[in-house]
Amino acid sequence: MDTTQMRVGHAERESVIDVLQTAYADGRLDTEELDQRVHLAMTGKTRGDLEPLTRDLSPRLPHDAEETSEDKVLGALAHAAGMLTSFVGPLVLMLVSGPRSARVRAHAVEALNFQLTLLIFTIVTLGVGGVVFAVAWIASLVAGLAALTGGSFRYPLTLRLIK
């Protein structure tokens, strides 16, 4: 079966829009092009409609010229630190190791945004959102494993407050 003809739902459209907004924030799209692509993403019905919108944009984390095993470990540590220290661990790693390695900074920023989203959700729900932390630990473990293997991971339903 040709997967480009498969119908898409809101979640798939939202993930394409996240990639577009990140590209806009990075300066790879101008306002007019962002508006056009977001409109096409929101009206797209199949995977074939969505795929061209991000084909020229890399949703992957940036790669350093030489990615070391230390970068992979520090990327994984950024996600694991969030499990234990909320936003403090990823923030410290972003500030300390981020200037040295774009890869570590990208993982630390993703972990930081996720932890800040969890904190805001918990405050807004007057603590009831704390139940979500069990699921958050699983997501952090998956993200850490992705970092160790040299891959990338984007947490779902996360406010991208820090770029």
Side-chain angles (χ1 to χ4, degrees), residues 14 19 41 70-72 76 96 106 113 130 142 153 155:
E14 292 286 330
V19 171
E70 179 185 358
D71 291 342
K72 292 178 182 179
V96 173
N113 282 324
V142 170
F153 184 84
Y155 291 98

Coordinates of all heavy atoms in Angstrom, one line a residue, residues 14 19 41 70-72 76 96 106 113 130 142 153 155:
E14 N -0.3 18.5 13.6 CA 0.3 19.3 14.7 C 1.8 19.1 14.7 O 2.6 20.0 14.9 CB -0.3 18.9 16.0 CG -1.7 19.3 16.3 CD -1.9 20.8 16.5 OE1 -0.9 21.4 17.0 OE2 -2.9 21.3 16.1
V19 N 7.3 21.4 13.4 CA 8.5 21.5 12.6 C 8.6 22.8 11.9 O 9.7 23.5 11.9 CB 8.6 20.3 11.6 CG1 9.8 20.5 10.7 CG2 8.8 19.0 12.4
A41 N -0.7 22.6 5.8 CA -0.7 21.5 6.8 C -2.1 21.3 7.4 O -2.5 20.2 7.7 CB 0.3 21.8 7.9
E70 N 30.9 11.5 24.6 CA 30.6 12.4 25.7 C 29.4 13.2 25.4 O 28.5 13.4 26.3 CB 31.8 13.3 26.0 CG 31.5 14.3 27.1 CD 32.7 15.3 27.4 OE1 33.7 15.2 26.6 OE2 32.5 16.1 28.2
D71 N 29.2 13.7 24.2 CA 28.1 14.4 23.8 C 26.8 13.6 23.9 O 25.8 14.0 24.4 CB 28.2 14.9 22.3 CG 29.2 16.0 22.2 OD1 29.6 16.6 23.2 OD2 29.7 16.2 21.0
K72 N 26.9 12.3 23.5 CA 25.7 11.4 23.6 C 25.4 11.2 25.1 O 24.2 11.2 25.5 CB 26.0 10.1 23.0 CG 26.2 10.1 21.5 CD 26.5 8.8 20.9 CE 26.7 8.9 19.4 NZ 27.1 7.6 18.8
A76 N 21.9 12.4 27.0 CA 21.1 11.5 27.8 C 20.9 12.0 29.2 O 19.8 11.9 29.8 CB 21.6 10.1 27.8
V96 N 26.0 25.0 30.8 CA 27.4 24.6 31.0 C 27.9 23.9 29.7 O 29.0 24.3 29.2 CB 27.5 23.7 32.2 CG1 28.9 23.1 32.3 CG2 27.2 24.4 33.5
A106 N 20.8 21.0 22.2 CA 19.5 20.7 21.6 C 18.8 19.7 22.5 O 17.6 19.9 22.8 CB 19.7 20.1 20.2
N113 N 12.3 22.3 28.0 CA 11.0 22.7 27.6 C 9.9 21.7 28.1 O 8.8 22.1 28.5 CB 10.9 22.8 26.1 CG 11.5 24.1 25.5 OD1 11.3 25.1 26.2 ND2 12.1 24.0 24.4
G130 N 0.3 16.4 38.7 CA 1.4 15.6 39.2 C 1.4 14.1 38.9 O 2.4 13.5 38.8
V142 N 12.9 7.2 27.3 CA 13.0 7.0 25.9 C 13.9 8.1 25.2 O 14.7 7.8 24.4 CB 11.5 7.0 25.3 CG1 11.6 7.0 23.8 CG2 10.8 5.8 25.8
F153 N 14.9 13.1 19.7 CA 13.6 12.9 20.3 C 12.9 14.2 20.6 O 13.5 15.1 21.1 CB 13.7 12.1 21.6 CG 12.4 11.7 22.2 CD1 11.8 10.5 21.8 CD2 11.8 12.4 23.2 CE1 10.6 10.2 22.4 CE2 10.6 12.1 23.8 CZ 10.0 10.9 23.3
Y155 N 9.6 15.6 22.6 CA 8.5 15.3 23.5 C 7.2 15.7 22.9 O 7.1 16.9 22.4 CB 8.7 15.9 24.8 CG 9.8 15.4 25.6 CD1 11.1 16.1 25.6 CD2 9.7 14.3 26.4 CE1 12.1 15.6 26.4 CE2 10.7 13.8 27.2 CZ 11.9 14.5 27.2 OH 13.0 14.0 27.9

